Tab-separated table of all heavy atoms in Angstrom:
chain	number	residue	atom	x	y	z
B	142	MET	N	-10.035	0.634	-0.382
B	142	MET	CA	-11.455	0.851	-0.104
B	142	MET	C	-11.862	2.188	-0.714
B	142	MET	O	-11.033	3.014	-1.051
B	142	MET	CB	-11.713	0.834	1.401
B	142	MET	CG	-11.355	-0.503	2.007
B	142	MET	SD	-11.993	-0.835	3.656
B	142	MET	CE	-11.452	0.513	4.632
B	143	GLY	N	-13.147	2.363	-0.833
B	143	GLY	CA	-13.647	3.583	-1.454
B	143	GLY	C	-13.912	3.354	-2.924
B	143	GLY	O	-14.014	2.220	-3.386
B	144	GLY	N	-14.002	4.418	-3.655
B	144	GLY	CA	-14.323	4.275	-5.062
B	144	GLY	C	-15.794	3.929	-5.218
B	144	GLY	O	-16.579	3.992	-4.276
B	145	ASP	N	-16.184	3.524	-6.404
B	145	ASP	CA	-17.595	3.263	-6.665
B	145	ASP	C	-17.910	1.784	-6.837
B	145	ASP	O	-18.960	1.424	-7.326
B	145	ASP	CB	-18.051	4.044	-7.898
B	145	ASP	CG	-17.251	3.697	-9.144
B	145	ASP	OD1	-16.317	2.879	-9.051
B	145	ASP	OD2	-17.560	4.259	-10.215
B	146	ARG	N	-16.998	0.910	-6.383
B	146	ARG	CA	-17.197	-0.521	-6.552
B	146	ARG	C	-17.171	-1.223	-5.197
B	146	ARG	O	-16.110	-1.460	-4.630
B	146	ARG	CB	-16.111	-1.113	-7.452
B	146	ARG	CG	-16.043	-0.579	-8.874
B	146	ARG	CD	-16.986	-1.320	-9.807
B	146	ARG	NE	-16.918	-2.746	-9.767
B	146	ARG	CZ	-16.227	-3.509	-10.616
B	146	ARG	NH1	-15.497	-2.969	-11.561
B	146	ARG	NH2	-16.268	-4.827	-10.501
B	147	LEU	N	-18.347	-1.554	-4.675
B	147	LEU	CA	-18.438	-2.257	-3.402
B	147	LEU	C	-17.738	-3.609	-3.467
B	147	LEU	O	-17.103	-4.032	-2.504
B	147	LEU	CB	-19.901	-2.432	-2.983
B	147	LEU	CG	-20.119	-3.178	-1.655
B	147	LEU	CD1	-19.451	-2.440	-0.504
B	147	LEU	CD2	-21.595	-3.371	-1.394
B	148	ASP	N	-17.813	-4.287	-4.621
B	148	ASP	CA	-17.154	-5.587	-4.740
B	148	ASP	C	-15.647	-5.455	-4.585
B	148	ASP	O	-14.994	-6.310	-4.002
B	148	ASP	CB	-17.512	-6.278	-6.064
B	148	ASP	CG	-17.148	-5.475	-7.300
B	148	ASP	OD1	-17.219	-4.229	-7.258
B	148	ASP	OD2	-16.807	-6.099	-8.322
B	149	HIS	N	-15.067	-4.356	-5.042
B	149	HIS	CA	-13.633	-4.130	-4.866
B	149	HIS	C	-13.302	-3.891	-3.399
B	149	HIS	O	-12.298	-4.387	-2.886
B	149	HIS	CB	-13.164	-2.944	-5.705
B	149	HIS	CG	-13.099	-3.255	-7.164
B	149	HIS	ND1	-12.555	-2.375	-8.069
B	149	HIS	CD2	-13.504	-4.314	-7.886
B	149	HIS	CE1	-12.621	-2.895	-9.274
B	149	HIS	NE2	-13.206	-4.079	-9.192
B	150	THR	N	-14.157	-3.120	-2.727
B	150	THR	CA	-13.940	-2.868	-1.301
B	150	THR	C	-14.007	-4.174	-0.511
B	150	THR	O	-13.152	-4.447	0.337
B	150	THR	CB	-14.975	-1.856	-0.768
B	150	THR	OG1	-14.795	-0.618	-1.462
B	150	THR	CG2	-14.812	-1.628	0.722
B	151	MET	N	-15.009	-4.994	-0.801
B	151	MET	CA	-15.143	-6.272	-0.092
B	151	MET	C	-13.952	-7.192	-0.400
B	151	MET	O	-13.444	-7.863	0.488
B	151	MET	CB	-16.452	-6.964	-0.488
B	151	MET	CG	-17.697	-6.191	-0.100
B	151	MET	SD	-17.870	-5.954	1.675
B	151	MET	CE	-18.163	-7.617	2.192
B	152	ALA	N	-13.506	-7.184	-1.649
B	152	ALA	CA	-12.375	-8.035	-2.048
B	152	ALA	C	-11.074	-7.596	-1.395
B	152	ALA	O	-10.128	-8.381	-1.309
B	152	ALA	CB	-12.223	-8.034	-3.567
B	153	ALA	N	-11.016	-6.368	-0.912
B	153	ALA	CA	-9.789	-5.853	-0.293
B	153	ALA	C	-9.415	-6.620	0.973
B	153	ALA	O	-8.245	-6.657	1.353
B	153	ALA	CB	-9.940	-4.371	0.028
B	154	PHE	N	-10.387	-7.254	1.607
B	154	PHE	CA	-10.078	-7.970	2.840
B	154	PHE	C	-9.473	-9.345	2.590
B	154	PHE	O	-8.822	-9.900	3.459
B	154	PHE	CB	-11.320	-8.055	3.737
B	154	PHE	CG	-11.713	-6.716	4.262
B	154	PHE	CD1	-12.723	-5.984	3.664
B	154	PHE	CD2	-11.032	-6.152	5.333
B	154	PHE	CE1	-13.058	-4.726	4.129
B	154	PHE	CE2	-11.358	-4.896	5.805
B	154	PHE	CZ	-12.372	-4.173	5.196
B	155	HIS	N	-9.674	-9.884	1.408
B	155	HIS	CA	-9.145	-11.216	1.093
B	155	HIS	C	-7.620	-11.284	1.238
B	155	HIS	O	-7.104	-12.211	1.871
B	155	HIS	CB	-9.602	-11.651	-0.302
B	155	HIS	CG	-9.105	-12.997	-0.679
B	155	HIS	ND1	-8.095	-13.182	-1.595
B	155	HIS	CD2	-9.445	-14.231	-0.237
B	155	HIS	CE1	-7.857	-14.469	-1.716
B	155	HIS	NE2	-8.654	-15.121	-0.908
B	156	PRO	N	-6.846	-10.342	0.671
B	156	PRO	CA	-5.388	-10.421	0.852
B	156	PRO	C	-4.940	-10.303	2.308
B	156	PRO	O	-3.911	-10.866	2.682
B	156	PRO	CB	-4.853	-9.251	0.023
B	156	PRO	CG	-5.914	-8.979	-0.975
B	156	PRO	CD	-7.209	-9.285	-0.276
B	157	LEU	N	-5.703	-9.595	3.133
B	157	LEU	CA	-5.338	-9.510	4.549
B	157	LEU	C	-5.383	-10.888	5.188
B	157	LEU	O	-4.545	-11.221	6.025
B	157	LEU	CB	-6.276	-8.560	5.302
B	157	LEU	CG	-6.220	-7.084	4.942
B	157	LEU	CD1	-7.206	-6.301	5.798
B	157	LEU	CD2	-4.825	-6.516	5.083
B	158	VAL	N	-6.360	-11.686	4.796
B	158	VAL	CA	-6.492	-13.044	5.332
B	158	VAL	C	-5.489	-13.979	4.653
B	158	VAL	O	-4.794	-14.756	5.311
B	158	VAL	CB	-7.937	-13.560	5.156
B	158	VAL	CG1	-8.052	-15.012	5.588
B	158	VAL	CG2	-8.912	-12.688	5.921
B	159	LYS	N	-5.401	-13.890	3.334
B	159	LYS	CA	-4.525	-14.776	2.565
B	159	LYS	C	-3.058	-14.616	2.963
B	159	LYS	O	-2.311	-15.581	3.029
B	159	LYS	CB	-4.701	-14.489	1.075
B	159	LYS	CG	-3.909	-15.398	0.163
B	159	LYS	CD	-4.230	-15.098	-1.300
B	159	LYS	CE	-3.442	-15.995	-2.226
B	159	LYS	NZ	-3.785	-15.725	-3.640
B	160	PHE	N	-2.646	-13.393	3.227
B	160	PHE	CA	-1.259	-13.101	3.592
B	160	PHE	C	-1.186	-12.680	5.057
B	160	PHE	O	-0.557	-11.684	5.401
B	160	PHE	CB	-0.690	-11.998	2.687
B	160	PHE	CG	-0.680	-12.361	1.229
B	160	PHE	CD1	-1.723	-11.987	0.397
B	160	PHE	CD2	0.372	-13.092	0.699
B	160	PHE	CE1	-1.721	-12.326	-0.948
B	160	PHE	CE2	0.385	-13.436	-0.640
B	160	PHE	CZ	-0.669	-13.058	-1.471
B	161	ASN	N	-1.836	-13.450	5.934
B	161	ASN	CA	-1.922	-13.040	7.339
B	161	ASN	C	-0.590	-13.090	8.079
B	161	ASN	O	-0.496	-12.657	9.208
B	161	ASN	CB	-3.002	-13.833	8.085
B	161	ASN	CG	-2.625	-15.287	8.279
B	161	ASN	OD1	-1.537	-15.732	7.923
B	161	ASN	ND2	-3.543	-16.042	8.845
B	162	ASP	N	0.446	-13.595	7.423
B	162	ASP	CA	1.775	-13.552	8.038
B	162	ASP	C	2.428	-12.182	7.849
B	162	ASP	O	3.444	-11.889	8.475
B	162	ASP	CB	2.669	-14.647	7.462
B	162	ASP	CG	2.807	-14.572	5.951
B	162	ASP	OD1	1.816	-14.223	5.271
B	162	ASP	OD2	3.894	-14.861	5.445
B	163	LEU	N	1.832	-11.337	7.009
B	163	LEU	CA	2.343	-9.980	6.808
B	163	LEU	C	1.546	-9.012	7.686
B	163	LEU	O	0.339	-9.169	7.846
B	163	LEU	CB	2.186	-9.556	5.343
B	163	LEU	CG	2.879	-10.419	4.300
B	163	LEU	CD1	2.518	-9.925	2.891
B	163	LEU	CD2	4.379	-10.404	4.499
B	164	LYS	N	2.211	-8.023	8.211
B	164	LYS	CA	1.519	-7.000	8.984
B	164	LYS	C	1.070	-5.918	8.002
B	164	LYS	O	1.856	-5.069	7.596
B	164	LYS	CB	2.435	-6.428	10.056
B	164	LYS	CG	2.714	-7.412	11.180
B	164	LYS	CD	3.782	-6.930	12.136
B	164	LYS	CE	3.315	-5.813	13.002
B	164	LYS	NZ	4.293	-5.463	14.054
B	165	MET	N	-0.208	-5.995	7.591
B	165	MET	CA	-0.765	-5.055	6.625
B	165	MET	C	-1.956	-4.330	7.233
B	165	MET	O	-2.768	-4.942	7.920
B	165	MET	CB	-1.230	-5.780	5.359
B	165	MET	CG	-0.128	-6.440	4.573
B	165	MET	SD	-0.680	-7.025	2.943
B	165	MET	CE	-1.718	-8.415	3.386
B	166	LYS	N	-2.040	-3.037	6.944
B	166	LYS	CA	-3.191	-2.234	7.351
B	166	LYS	C	-3.775	-1.582	6.112
B	166	LYS	O	-3.058	-0.957	5.333
B	166	LYS	CB	-2.774	-1.081	8.278
B	166	LYS	CG	-2.436	-1.433	9.670
B	166	LYS	CD	-2.147	-0.151	10.436
B	166	LYS	CE	-1.587	-0.438	11.802
B	166	LYS	NZ	-1.266	0.816	12.506
B	167	ILE	N	-5.077	-1.716	5.947
B	167	ILE	CA	-5.778	-0.942	4.931
B	167	ILE	C	-6.111	0.398	5.563
B	167	ILE	O	-6.746	0.450	6.618
B	167	ILE	CB	-7.069	-1.653	4.470
B	167	ILE	CG1	-6.728	-2.954	3.752
B	167	ILE	CG2	-7.878	-0.729	3.566
B	167	ILE	CD1	-7.941	-3.772	3.346
B	168	VAL	N	-5.667	1.481	4.942
B	168	VAL	CA	-5.908	2.823	5.460
B	168	VAL	C	-7.008	3.473	4.640
B	168	VAL	O	-6.964	3.483	3.406
B	168	VAL	CB	-4.620	3.687	5.378
B	168	VAL	CG1	-4.870	5.075	5.931
B	168	VAL	CG2	-3.471	3.007	6.110
B	169	TYR	N	-8.007	3.999	5.335
B	169	TYR	CA	-9.117	4.676	4.675
B	169	TYR	C	-9.530	5.847	5.553
B	169	TYR	O	-10.105	5.659	6.621
B	169	TYR	CB	-10.288	3.721	4.457
B	169	TYR	CG	-11.437	4.345	3.706
B	169	TYR	CD1	-11.301	4.655	2.362
B	169	TYR	CD2	-12.633	4.643	4.334
B	169	TYR	CE1	-12.340	5.229	1.658
B	169	TYR	CE2	-13.678	5.215	3.640
B	169	TYR	CZ	-13.529	5.509	2.301
B	169	TYR	OH	-14.558	6.092	1.604
B	170	GLY	N	-9.195	7.051	5.106
B	170	GLY	CA	-9.473	8.232	5.918
B	170	GLY	C	-8.717	8.126	7.226
B	170	GLY	O	-7.575	7.668	7.259
B	171	PRO	N	-9.354	8.465	8.321
B	171	PRO	CA	-8.678	8.350	9.612
B	171	PRO	C	-8.713	6.916	10.164
B	171	PRO	O	-8.111	6.638	11.183
B	171	PRO	CB	-9.489	9.285	10.514
B	171	PRO	CG	-10.855	9.268	9.926
B	171	PRO	CD	-10.658	9.119	8.439
B	172	ALA	N	-9.424	6.034	9.483
B	172	ALA	CA	-9.591	4.664	9.961
B	172	ALA	C	-8.625	3.717	9.252
B	172	ALA	O	-8.086	4.026	8.199
B	172	ALA	CB	-11.027	4.211	9.710
B	173	PHE	N	-8.446	2.561	9.866
B	173	PHE	CA	-7.662	1.513	9.231
B	173	PHE	C	-8.193	0.166	9.699
B	173	PHE	O	-8.886	0.062	10.701
B	173	PHE	CB	-6.160	1.650	9.515
B	173	PHE	CG	-5.797	1.679	10.966
B	173	PHE	CD1	-5.615	0.503	11.677
B	173	PHE	CD2	-5.625	2.887	11.621
B	173	PHE	CE1	-5.264	0.525	13.016
B	173	PHE	CE2	-5.282	2.916	12.959
B	173	PHE	CZ	-5.100	1.737	13.665
B	174	ALA	N	-7.871	-0.865	8.917
B	174	ALA	CA	-8.311	-2.219	9.249
B	174	ALA	C	-7.148	-3.170	9.062
B	174	ALA	O	-6.337	-3.003	8.147
B	174	ALA	CB	-9.470	-2.628	8.344
B	175	PHE	N	-7.072	-4.156	9.940
B	175	PHE	CA	-6.079	-5.206	9.794
B	175	PHE	C	-6.634	-6.480	10.400
B	175	PHE	O	-7.612	-6.461	11.135
B	175	PHE	CB	-4.725	-4.826	10.399
B	175	PHE	CG	-4.726	-4.609	11.888
B	175	PHE	CD1	-4.368	-5.622	12.752
B	175	PHE	CD2	-5.065	-3.367	12.413
B	175	PHE	CE1	-4.355	-5.419	14.121
B	175	PHE	CE2	-5.050	-3.154	13.776
B	175	PHE	CZ	-4.695	-4.180	14.640
B	176	ILE	N	-6.018	-7.606	10.048
B	176	ILE	CA	-6.461	-8.916	10.511
B	176	ILE	C	-5.476	-9.436	11.554
B	176	ILE	O	-4.267	-9.370	11.353
B	176	ILE	CB	-6.518	-9.922	9.343
B	176	ILE	CG1	-7.464	-9.450	8.242
B	176	ILE	CG2	-6.872	-11.330	9.822
B	176	ILE	CD1	-8.921	-9.467	8.594
B	177	LEU	N	-6.017	-9.935	12.643
B	177	LEU	CA	-5.174	-10.621	13.619
B	177	LEU	C	-5.121	-12.093	13.241
B	177	LEU	O	-6.157	-12.705	12.967
B	177	LEU	CB	-5.753	-10.476	15.031
B	177	LEU	CG	-5.727	-9.065	15.608
B	177	LEU	CD1	-6.492	-9.028	16.926
B	177	LEU	CD2	-4.302	-8.600	15.806
B	178	PRO	N	-3.937	-12.672	13.203
B	178	PRO	CA	-3.845	-14.094	12.861
B	178	PRO	C	-4.428	-14.961	13.982
B	178	PRO	O	-4.554	-14.528	15.126
B	178	PRO	CB	-2.341	-14.322	12.707
B	178	PRO	CG	-1.701	-13.245	13.499
B	178	PRO	CD	-2.639	-12.072	13.471
B	179	ALA	N	-4.761	-16.193	13.632
B	179	ALA	CA	-5.280	-17.140	14.622
B	179	ALA	C	-4.250	-17.338	15.723
B	179	ALA	O	-3.044	-17.231	15.492
B	179	ALA	CB	-5.594	-18.472	13.946
Side-chain angles (χ1 to χ4, degrees):
M142 298 196 305
D145 58 358
R146 299 274 310 263
L147 179 60
D148 58 326
H149 287 188
T150 298
M151 297 298 292
F154 292 99
H155 180 254
L157 293 181
V158 175
K159 183 176 180 178
F160 300 95
N161 70 3
D162 57 324
L163 301 175
K164 289 171 72 172
M165 295 190 289
K166 285 184 189 178
I167 294 176
V168 181
Y169 183 70
F173 56 85
F175 64 96
I176 301 290
L177 293 173

